[in-house]
Amino acid sequence: MSNTSLDNKYSSSFVEGKWYKHWIEKNYFHADSNSKKEPYTIVIPPPNVTGMLTVGHVLNNTIQDILIRKARMEGKEACWIPGTDHASIATETKVIKMLEEQGIDKNTLSREEFLDHAWQWKEKYGGIIIQQLKKLGCSCDWERERFTMDEGYSTAVLEGFVKLYEKGLIYKGHRLVNWCPVSKSAISDEEVIHKEVDGHLWYFRYPIKDEKEHLIVATTRPETMLGDSAVAVNPNDDRYSKHIGKKIILPLVGREIPIISDDYVDPEFGTGCVKITPAHDPNDFLIGEKHNLEFINIMNEDGSISCTAPSKYMNKDRFIARKAIVKDLDKLNLLHKIENYKNKVGYSERGNVPIEFYMSEQWFMKMTDLAKPAIKAVESGEIKFHPNHWVKTYNHWMANIKDWCISRQLTWGHQIPVWYHKNDKSKIHVSVNGPEDIENWDQEKDVLDTWASSWIWPLGVHNWPHASKDIEKFYPTNTLVTGPDIIFFWVARMIMTGYEFLDDKPFTDVYFTSILRDEAGKKLSKSLGNSPDPFDLFEEYGTDAVRFGIMLMAPQGLDVLFAKDRLEIGRNFMNKLWNACRFVDMNAPENWEKHEHLDYEFELADKWILNKLNDAIKNYNSQLKRFYFNEAAKVLYDFVWSDFCDWYIEIAKTRFYSEDIERKAMTYDVCLRCIRIILPLMHPYTPFITEELWAYFKEQDQSDLIIASWPKDDIQTYDDVGDDMEVIQELVTSIRAMRSRVNIPPSKNVKLIIKCNEDKRSLISQNDELLISLAKLDSYEYSESKDKISESATSVVRGVELYIPLKGLVDLEKEKMQLTKRKIKIEDLLKGIDRKLSNENFINNAPEKIIKGEKEKELSLKDELIKINSNISMLS
RNA sequence: GGGCGUUUAGCUCAGCUGGUCAGAGCGCUGCCCUUACAAGGCAGAUGUCGGGAGUUCGAAUCUCUCAACGCUCACCA
């Protein structure tokens, strides 16, 4: 045995840093738009610039890295464009908080001053997640890194706005929008999260003017009564029809409001009377417009009660005002009752407080026309979703799409490219660069919703609309990898921009990743504090192990219950691979020239493992092709561990420890062949360890693994093997089981007696070395005798009867039990087969192959049964 | 209420187009520090594949239905 220079432990942190640096130095990640190679492009879903790497990012970006590395090895011009998203609300919140800590109030700053602070903040902290992606091993083209507020990208965003405005798809309107009182900004429907809360239904008496009677209205939000401008009943509701047209004196406020009728009111619900607050409820808004009611906004932008309400409640927070109003109505004996009531309340995703419906002037985008080509693209299969079932969700949203509120009352973001003339507010200018006499104009203060910036990502990264080789070469992209939680936010809208601006899809395949949850099923998130820090995991297990472990546990289309213990499988596998390679390296022939020969007279085991290797390549590729990353990982895992290590290497040992130099060289070359294929196959999943090992095993003049060529699945295979190897494996396992039953230690070799037919005898004799070494035999002999072989451990496998004679050491009852158990099993199976074979329909309809198989199975089981029975009787 | 998904060994889950004695990892039991690996090896136990019906010669796999759980969308005060 020669020495190996491979350490007996794999040191992940050293290796990872070394190779990442090397890859960067060699510029392997860079994609060339002048290349003649077929492009393969991915744009990263840009993480939030304020963000830190989560385990979810690890999954998502590992998948992208797998796709890109594979494409690169397949000889494509692999281009993975990285970058970050400016995340208006999140970033602005952080900057404001930082300023507060420095004693600076945002309101005292000019727009320019605030942006100055924000950019400083971004320069200081914005790069963290990018550094983290590098640590993960991502082979992004860092020369193409983009930020959504970069110059060229910003132009693309504004160009998009202007084009849509000119087309009449963007308009300004005074409307009810979702309002976040924390960020004091409008938010889109998608940023509202509905939560079921235990609330109340309050019943109030509303006195009818000039009458003793009153109507009882129910509400979940008492404070909005300050803005009531009508009470509505159903026109067909006999209880109230006589009151229609009369007036209500609104309690606490004193305003006279009409009693109106509308079909919208459900007589069955509550009392059948509904208070109408057009400025604070979307349904009431519609009724307000229909019946020409007053729109009374009773709130300030922070959610406190405004001056339109009685002074008593002015400037009180909405929830404090609620309590006060209920109390005051109770004092006036106008509180009828309070019921417990579960209802859905919309919360602001970022502010995490109940949103308000708020009247304000905002910019909207008409979506119906934009959606049309996007729906068609998915319907026709031009864009494919994996898993496909997301298509339904996508279609449902698209079919019911509403206008999108795209303006935000924030500072950090893309300022809307609209100017109002200082002297005549009705004069509007819309362009990317603004009017020539810009001093006479005021620019719109609002910025665009972040998603209205990042929806143009696949184009914007190339500075669209400027023509370039880049956009020609790398648009459309191939695959988008993202979480299903942003299917509307982002995926759907990117598809719209693709068709709208370039008349072409932005990507062909969309892979929706698993959502990672903790053991209680909660989504892993920073805010819940249940997401482990990936860096702790990298340190504990090694980055490759984390990558492989996560890929193995994330099936397509299902969420994953993540527990860090489950990464052990990855770590153990890295260790296994490392040590297998180390073993092979130890047995390299003297003066080996790193050149692989395969022109040997192979034996059974060699042909078998090479066949298995080819199967593995095929299966692996086909799983990757359908985006089943976990199954692909499993193919490699099983081949390496169960076939290569458990069997072939064990077999290799006996050869390496012999003196037969030719045979040693053959074995080594077969091992080498396996390793030289396993390493490239595994490289996309576990780039570091494989690149490190490759350095030991590659041909002298071969390239680094990252750009080595992808293994072909047409390596030479051997048809004459049949299931001979499986027979040997079963014999070995069976002998080991016998040994285990009678407690023979592994160190002790035993004698074996075999009874079998000629075929099996010839197979065994030709491969007896395998049996002897793997089952630890002292010797073996064939027996023709019909006599009973007494005091033996026995078993029957594939028609071969095996005996290990052991005077006095055998527990006969144990042996008998073992055989009886098998006997029962066989009888069961035979019953099943008999049922099939005696069924005319089966014989007539089943394919010939299946019938033949059943018949053969019956024969061999019957044969086994006879032998088992005779062995049982011998033991008695 | 609509849509989607899940239900397979004690736990976490694989099982592609229906047909080899239903698999893996962890955990558990027994034996091994056998010179690649104890992050390891060998052997072993545990499942009427959620319930019911149907299609089929044949169903964990296809259809229907019921149940439980989860996600998501939705304007009932």
Side-chain angles (χ1 to χ4, degrees), chain A residues 207-218:
Chain A
I208 300 174
K209 188 186 174 189
D210 298 331
E211 288 183 29
K212 292 215 170 100
E213 282 188 74
H214 54 252
L215 293 181
I216 298 175
V217 297

Side-chain angles (χ1 to χ4, degrees), chain A residues 606 648 652 655-656 663-672:
Chain A
D606 310 295
Y648 193 75
R655 300 178 180 176
F656 284 143
R663 210 155 163 250
K664 279 160 94 163
M666 171 178 83
T667 306
Y668 179 81
D669 278 340
V670 172
C671 286
L672 189 63

Side-chain angles (χ1 to χ4, degrees), chain A residues 67 69-76 621 708-710:
Chain A
L67 293 171
R69 284 181 186 266
K70 175 167 178 270
R72 193 179 289 121
M73 293 169 81
E74 285 172 330
K76 296 178 183 162
N621 279 327
S709 52
W710 192 248

Side-chain angles (χ1 to χ4, degrees), chain A residues 473-709:
Chain A
K473 181 88 183 168
F474 299 117
Y475 188 98
T477 71
N478 294 73
T479 308
L480 177 77
V481 180
T482 192
D485 44 350
I486 55 173
I487 183 169
F488 311 133
F489 278 121
W490 201 49
V491 181
R493 289 169 182 161
M494 269 195 290
I495 296 175
M496 294 181 201
T497 51
Y499 286 101
E500 174 65 20
F501 298 129
L502 287 177
D503 199 23
D504 199 356
K505 61 188 173 184
F507 30 69
T508 302
D509 293 292
V510 182
Y511 179 81
F512 290 107
T513 62
S514 307
I515 289 177
L516 297 175
R517 304 180 179 280
D518 66 13
E519 282 159 301
K522 288 216 177 70
K523 200 157 137 182
L524 290 188
S525 80
K526 244 185 318 167
S527 49
L528 282 171
N530 59 354
S531 173
D533 182 345
F535 285 80
D536 295 342
L537 301 177
F538 294 165
E539 190 142 326
E540 188 175 349
Y541 299 101
T543 305
D544 287 320
V546 172
R547 288 171 60 123
F548 195 83
I550 286 191
M551 291 316 301
L552 206 50
M553 71 173 97
Q556 192 190 83
L558 294 178
D559 290 354
V560 173
L561 296 190
F562 179 85
K564 80 180 182 103
D565 298 352
R566 294 181 69 190
L567 296 174
E568 278 175 16
I569 186 172
R571 180 195 58 184
N572 296 354
F573 186 49
M574 293 307 105
N575 183 249
K576 192 74 180 177
L577 176 71
W578 181 264
N579 273 291
C581 289
R582 181 167 171 263
F583 171 78
V584 173
D585 192 46
M586 279 173 159
N587 291 288
E590 299 281 336
N591 304 321
W592 172 61
E593 286 168 359
K594 297 210 170 191
H595 191 68
E596 183 181 332
H597 306 270
L598 286 166
D599 47 355
Y600 297 96
E601 286 294 318
F602 286 132
E603 298 169 27
L604 175 61
D606 310 295
K607 293 176 179 173
W608 168 80
I609 194 70
L610 291 170
N611 285 351
K612 282 275 182 186
L613 179 64
N614 198 47
D615 289 347
I617 304 171
K618 281 199 164 112
N619 293 337
Y620 181 68
N621 279 327
S622 76
Q623 296 292 6
L624 281 180
K625 199 173 167 193
R626 62 185 200 122
F627 296 96
Y628 272 61
F629 297 101
N630 65 323
E631 293 297 320
K634 212 165 161 278
V635 169
L636 293 185
Y637 183 90
D638 287 342
F639 174 77
V640 171
W641 203 305
S642 308
D643 295 329
F644 187 62
C645 291
D646 286 352
W647 289 98
Y648 193 75
I649 285 190
E650 289 308 314
I651 291 165
K653 281 178 184 173
T654 61
R655 300 178 180 176
F656 284 143
Y657 301 156
S658 77
E659 294 304 317
D660 187 337
I661 292 174
E662 174 77 359
R663 210 155 163 250
K664 279 160 94 163
M666 171 178 83
T667 306
Y668 179 81
D669 278 340
V670 172
C671 286
L672 189 63
R673 155 109 308 179
C674 291
I675 289 173
R676 280 182 175 172
I677 287 176
I678 291 165
L679 292 179
L681 290 179
M682 263 185 71
H683 181 258
Y685 281 75
T686 58
F688 300 112
I689 191 173
T690 50
E691 187 75 86
E692 175 73 8
L693 288 168
W694 183 251
Y696 290 88
F697 290 99
K698 65 175 184 141
E699 292 261 357
Q700 216 99 49
D701 54 353
Q702 232 173 339
S703 71
D704 289 325
L705 183 55
I706 185 174
I707 54 161
S709 52

Side-chain angles (χ1 to χ4, degrees), chain A residues 15-82:
Chain A
V15 167
E16 290 166 12
K18 178 178 82 177
W19 285 113
Y20 202 83
K21 189 162 164 267
H22 178 77
W23 294 328
I24 293 275
E25 277 167 8
K26 292 280 193 169
N27 208 221
Y28 290 142
F29 301 166
H30 181 60
D32 180 3
S33 54
N34 291 314
S35 159
K36 291 276 187 295
K37 294 178 187 173
E38 179 193 343
Y40 184 94
T41 311
I42 293 179
V43 288
I44 204 169
N48 184 329
V49 71
T50 68
M52 306 279 271
L53 203 70
T54 64
V55 190
H57 287 120
V58 172
L59 172 68
N60 185 300
N61 288 287
T62 300
I63 291 170
Q64 294 174 68
D65 202 31
I66 288 169
L67 293 171
I68 274 293
R69 284 181 186 266
K70 175 167 178 270
R72 193 179 289 121
M73 293 169 81
E74 285 172 330
K76 296 178 183 162
E77 193 64 27
C79 181
W80 183 8
I81 303 171

